[in-house]
């Protein structure tokens, strides 16, 4: 198979251990968002028929894979983790080229896939159950994890390798097989990841890749009765559709969706540190992280000095091609994404917020062929404004005032999402009480809203998630089910709750 550094023009689906074209005969292009003249490759525009083939292959492979002992499954994953590590730089470059974020960040994305794969491979020797005393004599009681079967994996474009790894690797270590549909904007990183799994020795049919649109490929996965678990990361809007479509066949559905994350800067905060955090949280990945700090709530006593420093630093950010080592912020991923940002800039201005910096698309000179936009800060934002409530998914930060920590918490909790929140304060009592009172899945003290590590649960509350978590051992809960096992070695019928053991 070709390596990630070789330039292929046409890429295929991976079904039942072979690289095959879609039955549709149709393809779509993948172009560099920093320079649309750069055609990265052509990928299969697949249909429901391709999905059906992939699911059939995954179903057949499951009968073998589920019986491979988990520590042996894990050996393949250790090998895959090492292969990703060996190719980290080439994989990161491919990723920057196809989705735009700066190289440091795509290296981080690949590193997350390495960390997750090593971590989950370790779970091949754990997957602990419980052994408990039975209430009856001569009876043994325990619980074991069992896989579910075929898993449908649907992922977004903002973490093109990390997010697939968060889902595919735990699915595999638990003994499930996979049909993977990546975002149409980042199929190359998905393909690179699957190639590595193939090279590591994952058997035919255990992992299948089908590229194409959500309406065609994604939908077909949701209505197929042979799919038992769906793991989706993407927008709340599409997550709701996924949930509804999967419900009639009672699939297990794991959803990670939108966010409107908040950094609270209190009057005793180290302001320089808070400004650093807000820059990284707000403009890292061009604001296109589910955990992006798109809201900053600042105590009125430090509002003005904070805002002045934040604006000065945001203005100085170097926007450019992510492959250029001098760039600190890359382009938006697509023309549509930049259009959304521009619309929200208009909305913010109409709502009466003060445009403190930025606010324009960058369209001339070196920016002419990409989807660049200035880092943008709105000040004097009120919590009711749309720019303070809706996910923008771009380099736009809304700064609000508060008069107390209680008001900051009320603003933090006052949106439909609940992914990540953070507080900058030197007061440990305040930090702990806010940690308790903010209803999110992730919380930081004196650090921005981004920076999750793979061995802790990741996910959000309310419209961000549906109660599951990925990463950490929590991911095992998504990709396995409990089986409680009772072994009666008394040689007679013992009726639970009716017969009692003698003292
Ligand atoms: P999206 O919802 O548009 O697409 C996500 C995936 O779903 C893509 O693969 C897409 O092709 C597919 N899809 C679209 N319509 C579908 C349908 N009808 N049926 C099945 N699949 C369908 O999201 P996006 O633009 O790729 O990513 C951005 C969103 O993802 C943001 O809202 C962001 O907050 C969210 N996100 C959340 C997390 C998290 O962990 N909470 C992480 C990263 C991104």
């Amino acid at each position: 198979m070709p390596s990630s550094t070789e330039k292929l023009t046409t890429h295929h689906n991976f079904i039942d251990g072979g690289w095959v074209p879609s039955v549709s005969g149709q393809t779509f292009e993948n172009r560099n968002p920093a320079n649309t003249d750069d055609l990265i490759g052509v990928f299969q525009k697949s249909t429901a028929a391709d999905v059906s083939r992939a699911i059939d292959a995954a179903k057949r492979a499951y009968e073998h894979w589920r019986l491979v002992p988990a520590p042996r499954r894990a050996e393949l994953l250790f090998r895959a983790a090492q292969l990703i590590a060996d190719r980290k730089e080439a994989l990161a470059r491919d990723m920057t080229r196809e989705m735009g974020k700066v190289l440091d960040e795509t290296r981080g994305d690949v590193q997350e896939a390495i960390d997750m794969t090593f971590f989950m491979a370790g779970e091949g020797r754990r997957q602990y159950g419980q052994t408990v005393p039975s209430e009856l004599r001569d009876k043994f009681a325990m619980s074991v994890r069992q896989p579910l079967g075929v898993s449908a994996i649907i992922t977004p474009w903002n973490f093109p390798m990390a997010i697939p790894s968060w889902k595919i690797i735990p699915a595999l270590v638990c003994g499930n097989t996979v049909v993977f549909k990546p975002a149409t904007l980042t199929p190359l990183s998905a393909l690179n990841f699957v190639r590595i799994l193939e090279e590591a020795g994952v058997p035919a049919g255990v992992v299948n890749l089908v590229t194409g649109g959500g309406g065609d490929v994604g939908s077909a996965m949701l209505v197929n009765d042979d799919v038992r678990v769906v793991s989706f990361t993407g927008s709340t809007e599409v997550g709701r559709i996924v949930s509804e479509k999967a419900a009639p066949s009672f699939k297990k559905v794991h959803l990670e969706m939108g966010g409107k994350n908040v950094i609270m800067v209190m009057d005793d905060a180290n302001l320089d540190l808070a400004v650093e955090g807000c820059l990284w949280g707000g403009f890292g990945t061009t604001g296109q992280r589910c955990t992006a700090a798109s809201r900053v709530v600042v105590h009125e006593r430090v509002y003005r000095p904070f805002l002045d420093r934040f604006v000065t630093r945001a203005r100085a950010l170097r926007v450019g091609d992510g492959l250029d080592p001098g760039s600190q912020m890359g382009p938006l991923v697509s023309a549509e994404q930049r259009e959304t940002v521009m619309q929200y800039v208009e909305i913010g201005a109409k709502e009466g917020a003060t445009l403190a910096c930025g606010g324009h698309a960058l369209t001339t000179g070196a920016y002419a062929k990409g989807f660049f936009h200035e880092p943008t800060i709105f000040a004097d934002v009120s919590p009711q404004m749309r720019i303070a409530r809706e996910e923008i998914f771009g380099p736009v930060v809304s700064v609000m005032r508060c008069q107390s920590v209680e008001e900051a918490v009320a603003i933090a909790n006052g949106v439909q999402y609940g992914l990540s929140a953070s507080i900058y304060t030197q007061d440990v009592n305040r930090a702990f009480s806010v940690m308790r009172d903010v209803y999110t899945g992730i919380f930081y003290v004196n650090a921005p809203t981004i920076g999750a590590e793979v061995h802790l649960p990741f996910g959000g509350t309310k419209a961000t998630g549906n109660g599951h978590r990925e990463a950490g051992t929590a991911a095992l809960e998504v990709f396995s089910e409990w089986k409680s096992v009772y072994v009666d070695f008394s040689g007679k019928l013992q009726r639970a709750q009716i017969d009692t053991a003698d003292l």
Side-chain angles (χ1 to χ4, degrees), residues 153-159 163 166-167 181-185 212-222 232-239 241-242 245 255-259 261 288-291 333 337 391 393 417 419 458-460 464-465 470:
I153 306 295
I154 304 176
T155 57
W157 45 263
N158 64 340
F159 280 87
I163 291 179
W166 295 356
K167 300 177 184 304
K181 191 215 94 59
T184 44
L185 291 167
D216 301 321
V217 178
S219 288
M221 293 159 90
L222 303 172
F232 165 89
T233 298
S235 60
T236 297
E237 194 188 358
V238 174
I241 297 171
V242 168
K245 282 215 165 134
L255 304 172
E256 294 293 342
M257 301 173 286
N261 312 288
Q288 303 167 114
R289 287 192 185 217
C290 51
T291 50
V333 75
Q337 203 66 29
E391 184 181 52
F393 228 54
Y417 302 109
L419 185 52
F458 182 96
T464 299
E470 52 197 348

Side-chain angles (χ1 to χ4, degrees), residues 13 28-31 43-45 98-99 153-161 163-164 167-168 179-191 209-215 217-218 221 231-235 238 333-334 337 393:
N13 287 332
F28 64 93
E29 288 184 350
N30 180 16
R31 287 182 181 271
F43 291 81
Q44 301 303 306
K45 192 169 178 208
E98 79 171 341
M99 71 74 68
I153 306 295
I154 304 176
T155 57
W157 45 263
N158 64 340
F159 280 87
M161 194 166 291
I163 291 179
K167 300 177 184 304
I168 293 172
V179 179
F180 170 29
K181 191 215 94 59
T184 44
L185 291 167
T186 50
L188 180 60
S189 296
L191 199 123
L209 170 77
V210 184
T211 56
V217 178
M221 293 159 90
S231 182
F232 165 89
T233 298
S235 60
V238 174
V333 75
S334 64
Q337 203 66 29
F393 228 54

Side-chain angles (χ1 to χ4, degrees), residues 359-436:
H360 304 101
L362 295 162
T363 55
T364 56
Y367 299 126
K369 290 184 173 164
F371 309 122
F372 296 93
H373 194 280
E374 291 174 330
T376 298
I377 298 174
F378 274 111
D380 308 322
V381 175
S382 76
Q384 294 74 35
M385 291 180 183
R386 285 181 62 191
I387 56 168
R389 288 185 288 115
E390 297 174 14
E391 184 181 52
I392 300 174
F393 228 54
V396 182
V397 178
S398 298
V399 184
M400 291 169 262
R401 276 190 183 77
C402 71
Q403 293 179 340
S404 65
V405 71
E406 291 76 17
E407 189 186 356
V409 169
I411 294 172
N413 284 333
V415 292
Q416 64 162 332
Y417 302 109
L419 185 52
S420 183
S422 122
I423 187 166
Y424 280 81
T425 179
Q426 303 296 317
D427 179 342
V428 68
N429 297 347
R430 194 181 250 182
F432 270 85
S433 65
V434 175
M435 180 266 286
R436 180 196 58 204

Side-chain angles (χ1 to χ4, degrees), residues 129-342:
Q130 295 169 313
T131 307
V132 293
S134 166
E135 62 194 40
L136 292 163
R137 280 182 196 279
D138 298 331
K139 197 167 177 183
F140 187 87
M142 64 180 169
S143 61
V144 294
R145 288 187 186 277
Q146 59 185 335
L148 287 91
V150 178
S151 334
I153 306 295
I154 304 176
T155 57
W157 45 263
N158 64 340
F159 280 87
M161 194 166 291
I163 291 179
S165 78
W166 295 356
K167 300 177 184 304
I168 293 172
I169 302 300
L172 293 179
V173 83
C174 288
N176 305 280
T177 54
V178 166
V179 179
F180 170 29
K181 191 215 94 59
T184 44
L185 291 167
T186 50
L188 180 60
S189 296
L191 199 123
N192 286 341
F193 187 62
V194 170
R195 268 186 198 140
I196 283 176
L197 292 173
E198 179 193 19
E199 213 175 309
V202 172
V206 170
V207 173
N208 303 275
L209 170 77
V210 184
T211 56
D216 301 321
V217 178
S219 288
M221 293 159 90
L222 303 172
V223 295
N224 188 307
D225 283 344
D226 290 327
V227 170
R228 294 314 317 147
V229 52
V230 178
S231 182
F232 165 89
T233 298
S235 60
T236 297
E237 194 188 358
V238 174
R240 185 170 288 116
I241 297 171
V242 168
S243 184
E244 285 169 2
K245 282 215 165 134
S249 49
F250 302 114
K251 298 182 197 331
K252 189 172 187 178
V253 178
H254 160 229
L255 304 172
E256 294 293 342
M257 301 173 286
K260 190 73 184 175
N261 312 288
V262 65
I263 292 180
M264 293 163 272
V265 182
M266 292 297 105
D267 51 351
D268 62 345
N270 173 336
L271 279 198
D272 288 331
L273 190 65
V275 167
E276 288 289 337
C278 291
L279 276 176
W280 177 228
F283 302 116
T285 319
T286 320
Q288 303 167 114
R289 287 192 185 217
C290 51
T291 50
S294 52
R295 298 186 293 157
V296 178
V297 178
V298 188
H299 196 284
E300 61 180 359
R301 276 199 279 268
V302 293
Y303 183 83
R304 192 42 61 186
F306 168 85
L307 187 63
D308 290 347
R309 283 186 231 183
F310 186 34
V311 167
T312 304
R313 292 290 305 279
R315 279 204 181 110
L317 283 174
R318 290 187 302 275
V319 179
D321 185 334
L323 289 170
D324 175 349
S327 299
Q328 293 172 304
M329 192 180 98
L332 277 302
V333 75
S334 64
E336 294 73 30
Q337 203 66 29
R338 184 170 68 177
E339 185 54 38
T340 303
V341 167
M342 288 159 67

